[in-house]
Amino acid sequence: MKRAAVLVSGGGTNLQALIDARRMGKMPSVELALVISDREGAFALERAKQNNIKISVLRRRDFASAEAYDHAFCNVLKENNIDLAVLAGFLSIIGPATLGAYRKRIINIHPSLLPAFGGKGFYGVKVHEAALNRGVKVSGATVHYVDDEVDGGEIIAQKAVAVLEGDTPETLQRRIMEEAEWQILPAAVELLCKGEL
Ligand code: GAR
């Protein structure tokens, strides 16, 4: 079994999808060993507590520099013997020390078919606003490796979801979560931990 850390900032529905997949026997190669949040009040932390998963809160403002934050982050992953870090709605940027130490062992879920609607500023519902404004008829979600280009790492998995007449950013966001994100993230985490990718 590989030890995964899930990095969160918000509601944590993707974390919940991982917890549920684990409970249903769909991630036999994965131990959800740690949840790291960059926000104290993230509801995702409640989900972790309810499921007896160790938590760690690392707030940028508690560190003097981006470098110090990066090193603290990397140390927490190492101290907990983490094999794979899973960004699931995590807002902070991963620094070079962590990226260097965990090359090809950090992945992210993004709510569009990358490279469309990715990069700096494309987060959460803003991604869906941009997709609807552009008039795309198909959107979806992507699981990709994290490297030094925001949302630019190699793609591991994607799933397409139709945009429907009358969709709002919120209805599209919800459907993409249900039909794509909560499916492909647990599947990709299991494949990686099983060593199949
Ligand atoms: C998810 O839709 C995730 O794909 C997105 O934020 C949401 C987090 O929801 N991530 C990004 O936009 C990253 N650029 P959650 O906290 O309920 O999992």
Side-chain angles (χ1 to χ4, degrees):
M1 239 188 343
K2 294 283 167 58
R3 289 170 62 80
V6 184
L7 280 54
V8 296
S9 300
T13 64
N14 279 287
L15 168 63
Q16 190 66 51
L18 292 166
I19 292 168
D20 293 346
R22 175 91 195 101
R23 192 178 297 127
M24 290 186 293
K26 290 184 184 166
M27 290 200 317
S29 314
V30 187
E31 181 189 349
L32 296 174
L34 180 67
V35 168
I36 305 177
S37 176
D38 59 359
R39 292 176 176 199
E40 220 165 20
F43 184 70
L45 290 172
E46 297 306 315
R47 299 182 193 268
K49 283 180 203 160
Q50 277 163 21
N51 290 278
N52 299 315
I53 303 172
K54 182 176 174 181
I55 61 175
S56 175
V57 177
L58 284 173
R59 299 180 307 179
R60 171 66 183 86
R61 70 166 177 272
D62 294 332
F63 296 86
S65 64
E67 288 72 27
Y69 187 55
D70 182 15
H71 280 102
F73 222 97
C74 193
N75 285 339
V76 167
L77 294 177
K78 284 184 180 164
E79 281 161 10
N80 286 280
N81 296 314
I82 296 303
D83 299 299
L84 180 73
V86 180
L87 277 59
F90 187 64
L91 280 171
S92 298
I93 299 290
I94 303 291
T98 308
L99 286 175
Y102 281 84
R103 224 185 87 74
K104 286 241 163 169
R105 291 196 293 149
I106 309 176
I107 64 172
N108 179 47
I109 177 88
H110 184 80
S112 72
L113 294 174
L114 290 174
F117 313 116
K120 248 190 155 174
F122 283 104
Y123 177 80
V125 80
K126 284 187 201 303
V127 177
H128 306 293
E129 274 165 18
L132 289 176
N133 285 340
R134 188 61 189 263
V136 294
K137 303 302 171 209
V138 177
S139 190
T142 303
V143 178
H144 64 92
Y145 287 109
V146 174
D147 66 13
D148 50 12
E149 186 191 336
V150 179
D151 295 330
E154 187 189 334
I155 289 169
I156 299 165
Q158 285 188 311
K159 190 165 179 207
V161 173
V163 177
L164 303 181
E165 194 92 23
D167 257 338
T168 64
E170 289 74 22
T171 61
L172 182 59
Q173 178 180 48
R174 180 74 192 180
R175 205 164 59 257
I176 287 175
M177 283 178 156
E178 285 175 358
E179 293 180 11
E181 296 186 46
W182 302 343
Q183 318 289 329
I184 65 173
L185 185 60
V189 170
E190 170 61 19
L191 275 174
L192 283 171
C193 288
K194 214 171 152 190
E196 281 192 0
L197 281 179

